[in-house]
């Protein structure tokens, strides 16, 4: 399944990532690389779903995730557009500010607040996005 306008390809084979995740990742990558410039109007949910042979809810889920990440923005009835590149940076800065404020309220020193994310359990997707690796204190275990 391929979108001709966006050059998005969805791999429906067994073991591939969920279609919404493939769509989300490809749009995010294209937006961050500049292949989809800021202000580029994306197809409607229904239009893209039809073009890719996906359910409208699948495309809507990808669009919601992209909007939450600051990659795209919905302008009401005007449509959905690629957000300015600083949108994701703004979102990350906001998350960092919220974390810093919370750490301060908890009484953590700056060194402790910086160390917590490093030693906390983090989840990252493997390069194929099919397995999940949990990292904790330098060790990795594969789940999924």
């Amino acid at each position: 399944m391929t979108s001709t306008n966006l050059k998005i390809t969805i791999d429906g084979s067994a073991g591939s990532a969920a279609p919404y995740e493939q769509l989300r990742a490809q749009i995010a990558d294209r937006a961050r690389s500049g292949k989809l410039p800021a202000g580029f109007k994306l197809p409607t949910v229904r239009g893209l779903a039809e073009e890719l042979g996906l359910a409208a809810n699948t495309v809507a889920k990808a669009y919601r995730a992209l909007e939450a990440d600051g990659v795209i923005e919905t302008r009401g009835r005007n449509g959905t557009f690629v957000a300015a590149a600083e949108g994701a940076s703004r979102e990350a800065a906001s998350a960092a500010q919220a974390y810093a404020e919370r750490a301060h309220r908890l009484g953590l020193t700056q060194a402790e607040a910086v160390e917590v994310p490093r030693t906390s359990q983090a989840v990252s997707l493997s390069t194929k996005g099919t397995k999940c690796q949990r990292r904790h204190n330098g060790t990795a275990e594969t789940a999924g």
Side-chain angles (χ1 to χ4, degrees), residues 58-120:
T58 300
V59 175
K61 184 175 183 179
Y63 275 20
R64 282 191 304 271
L66 288 162
E67 191 164 22
D69 291 344
V71 176
I72 64 173
E73 58 189 14
T74 301
R75 300 178 190 164
R77 292 193 168 266
N78 292 322
T80 303
F81 298 83
V82 174
E86 60 272 358
S89 296
R90 225 181 7 251
E91 182 73 22
S94 175
Q97 180 65 35
Y99 174 75
E101 290 171 2
R102 179 76 172 147
H104 177 73
R105 283 194 306 271
L106 292 171
L108 297 177
T109 66
Q110 182 177 2
E112 291 169 331
V114 170
E115 190 61 24
V116 168
R118 287 189 200 152
T119 59
S120 293

Side-chain angles (χ1 to χ4, degrees), residues 10 17-28 42-46 48-49 52 54-72 74 80:
I10 303 299
Y20 90 89
E21 176 57 26
Q22 291 180 52
L23 179 59
R24 186 211 58 78
Q26 289 181 53
I27 291 174
L42 295 169
T44 64
V45 167
R46 286 184 184 181
L48 187 55
L52 292 172
L54 298 173
N57 284 339
T58 300
V59 175
K61 184 175 183 179
Y63 275 20
R64 282 191 304 271
L66 288 162
E67 191 164 22
D69 291 344
V71 176
I72 64 173
T74 301
T80 303

